[in-house]
Amino acid sequence: MTWESLTRRARPGLVLAIALSLAAVAYIAWKIGESPSQALQVTINGLNVGAVYALLALGFTLVYSTVWFFDLYYGAAAAMGAYGVFYLRSGQAADQAYDPGNSLLNIVFGVVIAGVAAWALHTAFYERFRPRYGRTLLRTVGAALAAAAGLYGALILWLPDHLHLTTAPLVTAFSGVIVGLTAYWLLRRFRGEAANRRTAAARMSAVIGLAAGGAAGLFVALRPEASLYLSWVVSCLLAGCVGLALYRGLYVLILLRARSTLIMLVATLGVLLTVSALIVIIFTSTTHALPESLGSQPIAVGGATFKAFAVFTVGCAFTGFFLLWLLLYRTSLGKVIRAIGDDEQVARVVGINTTAVIAIVFFIGAVYAAFAGILTGQDLAIQPRMGLELLLKGWIASVVGGIGGLYGAIVGGFLLGLVEQFGIWDISGEWQDAVSLLLLVIFLAFWPKGIIPRT
C-alpha cells in the first residue's frame, strides 16, 4: 500500500494533525538548537501561564459540563479574586492610593453572604427538622444564623488590617471540620463498621478536629504576616458566594421562564459587563499592583530566570486538578454532579435536588476562577479588563483540551500556555492573543472535540 493510498483513506484531520505536530516539533527543535537557554526560559514561562489557564479551564469545565451553557460571570469571578486581594491588602501593596473602607460595598457583600447562608441552612436542615421543631422556630434560628454570617463577613471586610484576627474563627472551623472528617474516615476504615466503634470513632474524631482547629486558629491569629494569604481565601470565598447567589437568585428564574442557552449567554454577559463596570467605578481603570508574596525572589537555572512563585503556580494547577478529580470520582457529591451533567431531568426525577447541587458547582467554579485571577495578579498587575481576557483563555484551553472533560482541561491549559510563549518567540508579545485565537480556530475547524474528548 502506497503513501498516497494511506493518506486518501485517512481522515483529513488526522493528516493535518500529524503535519502540524511534526512542524511544531521541528520548530521547537530548531529553537532549542538556536538558543537552549532561551528555549528553557520560554518553556518555563509557558508552564507558568499554562498553569493559570489550566485552573481556569478546570473550573470552566466543571460548570459547563454540569449545566451545559457558558457562564460568562466566570471571567468576572477571576477579576473579583484579584481585586478582592487588592481591596483587602492595598495598604501593603506598591500602589497605596486606594482606601478599602467602602462601607456600601462591605454591606452588599454582607447581604450576599447572609443570603447564601440562609439558603444553605434552609436547604440542608429545614425539611429534615420541620416536623420536630416547627416552621417558625427553624426560620427564626436560620435568619439569626444567616444574619450573623453576613455581619461576620462584613466585619472581615471592614477590618482588613486585622485580617489574621478576624479570620481566625473561620480557619478554626474549616480546619476542625476537615481534620475531624478525615480522622473519622480513617478510624472507620481501620477499626471496622460496628455501631459501638462508629460512636467511639465519632467522639475521637470530634476531639481531634477541635484540637486541630484550635491550633490552626491560634497559629493564624498570632501571625499578621499571613494576612496576604488569608486575603486569597476570603476573596475566593466571596467570588464563590456571588457565583452561588447569581445562580440561585437569577439564573434559576431565567431558566424557569425561558429555557434557552442563548438567553443564558446574554444574561451572563450582562453580569460580566456589570461587574466589570463596577470594578472601574470603584477601583478606577488604572492598573494596580498586589503585595509581593512568597517566591518573589528570582532563580537562575540553565540560563533562564524565573520566580519560585511560578513553581508554586504549577503546583496549584495540579493540586486543583487532583482535588476536583477526588470530588468528581471519589465522593457521592461527584456522582450526583456527573449524573446531572448526563441528564438533569432524569436526575430530578430520581429525587436529586439539582438546584442545590448546581449551586454548589457554581460556587466551586467561581472559587477556581478567583484563585486563577489571584495568581495572575500576584505575577502581573491587575486591570479591569483582566476578567474578560482570562475568561477567553479559560474557554480556549477548554476547547483545545476537550470541553467538558477534566483531563482535557489541564492538558489544554498547559498546551495553550506553551503554544502562546513559543508562538511569540520571534515577534512582539502583543501577538500573544492572536496566537491563542489561531490555535482556537484550528481546533474548532478540525478537532472540535479537543485533544481528550469527554466520554
Side-chain angles (χ1 to χ4, degrees):
M1 185 175 292
T2 63
W3 171 255
E4 288 76 14
S5 62
L6 281 174
T7 55
R8 279 197 301 270
R9 293 187 179 186
R11 291 182 300 174
L14 178 61
V15 176
L16 182 60
I18 295 173
L20 290 177
S21 299
L22 292 175
V25 170
Y27 174 77
I28 293 173
W30 169 49
K31 285 301 182 180
I32 292 175
E34 184 180 60
S35 177
S37 61
Q38 183 66 16
L40 178 61
Q41 182 71 65
V42 172
T43 301
I44 292 173
N45 294 343
L47 292 175
N48 185 23
V49 298
V52 175
Y53 297 162
L55 277 172
L56 289 165
L58 286 169
F60 188 87
T61 292
L62 174 66
V63 174
Y64 179 78
S65 63
T66 305
V67 297
W68 298 107
F69 67 79
F70 293 113
D71 177 26
L72 301 187
Y73 163 73
Y74 196 75
M80 284 179 60
Y83 274 93
V85 174
F86 175 72
Y87 182 80
L88 292 169
R89 306 312 304 155
S90 59
Q92 295 183 0
D95 179 358
Q96 299 185 14
Y98 179 74
D99 178 13
N102 191 319
S103 297
L104 179 59
L105 188 62
N106 296 342
I107 292 172
V108 168
F109 276 116
V111 171
V112 170
I113 294 170
V116 169
W119 170 83
L121 291 169
H122 183 275
T123 303
F125 302 112
Y126 184 73
E127 293 298 333
R128 183 183 303 177
F129 294 109
R130 183 166 58 91
R132 181 183 302 179
Y133 298 105
R135 180 181 304 174
T136 303
L137 178 61
L138 286 177
R139 287 183 174 177
T140 302
V141 173
L145 292 175
L151 289 173
Y152 177 59
L155 179 67
I156 291 175
L157 298 177
W158 255 308
L159 302 173
D161 293 333
H162 303 282
L163 203 60
H164 60 292
L165 297 176
T166 55
T167 57
L170 182 65
V171 173
T172 299
F174 180 78
S175 303
V177 170
I178 295 298
V179 173
L181 291 177
T182 304
Y184 182 65
W185 180 81
L186 291 173
L187 290 171
R188 287 187 59 182
R189 184 177 180 86
F190 293 107
R191 297 188 62 181
E193 294 291 335
N196 60 335
R197 292 185 176 181
R198 286 201 303 268
T199 303
R203 292 174 180 173
M204 189 177 299
S205 301
V207 173
I208 294 173
L210 287 172
L218 182 62
F219 177 84
V220 167
L222 296 177
R223 281 167 174 77
E225 63 273 12
S227 294
L228 173 62
Y229 309 107
L230 293 172
S231 72
W232 293 6
V233 177
V234 172
S235 298
C236 290
L237 292 178
L238 286 176
C241 287
V242 173
L244 190 155
L246 283 172
Y247 173 75
R248 188 61 189 89
L250 177 63
Y251 299 167
V252 169
L253 298 179
I254 296 175
L255 287 170
L256 287 175
R257 286 162 174 77
R259 199 165 182 82
S260 168
T261 55
L262 179 60
I263 291 177
M264 291 307 304
L265 181 67
V266 174
T268 58
L269 175 61
V271 172
L272 172 62
L273 295 177
T274 300
V275 174
S276 300
L278 290 174
I279 288 175
V280 173
I281 293 171
I282 297 171
F283 299 100
T284 74
S285 59
T286 59
T287 59
H288 299 284
L290 298 182
E292 288 189 356
S293 65
L294 60 101
S296 298
Q297 299 301 320
I299 300 174
V301 175
T305 303
F306 61 95
K307 296 179 181 179
F309 190 78
V311 180
F312 173 76
T313 302
V314 174
C316 287
F318 283 105
T319 302
F321 168 80
F322 178 69
L323 292 176
L324 210 52
W325 182 86
L326 284 179
L327 172 68
L328 291 178
Y329 297 101
R330 289 296 182 270
T331 66
S332 57
L333 176 61
K335 293 179 182 178
V336 171
I337 292 173
R338 287 185 285 126
I340 293 174
D342 291 336
D343 196 318
E344 183 181 349
Q345 297 298 329
V346 173
R348 187 181 293 111
V349 168
V350 299
I352 296 174
N353 188 343
T354 57
T355 301
V357 175
I358 295 174
I360 294 172
V361 167
F362 270 81
F363 177 86
I364 297 172
V367 167
Y368 269 72
F371 190 56
I374 290 170
L375 293 178
T376 301
Q378 292 291 161
D379 192 35
L380 305 170
I382 62 174
Q383 44 89 14
R385 292 191 303 112
M386 66 180 296
L388 180 59
E389 295 173 358
L390 290 175
L391 170 68
L392 179 62
K393 296 302 175 67
W395 180 62
I396 294 175
S398 299
V399 172
V400 170
I403 193 164
L406 200 61
Y407 297 98
I410 192 165
V411 171
F414 280 107
L415 179 62
L416 176 61
L418 290 169
V419 168
E420 275 189 355
Q421 296 303 310
F422 274 97
I424 60 172
W425 183 313
D426 292 319
I427 58 178
S428 172
E430 283 76 9
W431 287 89
Q432 179 173 315
D433 292 339
V435 172
S436 301
L437 292 173
L438 177 61
L439 182 67
L440 173 65
V441 169
I442 292 174
F443 269 85
L444 287 177
F446 299 99
W447 309 286
K449 293 184 178 180
I451 298 173
I452 308 177
R454 184 178 188 269
T455 56

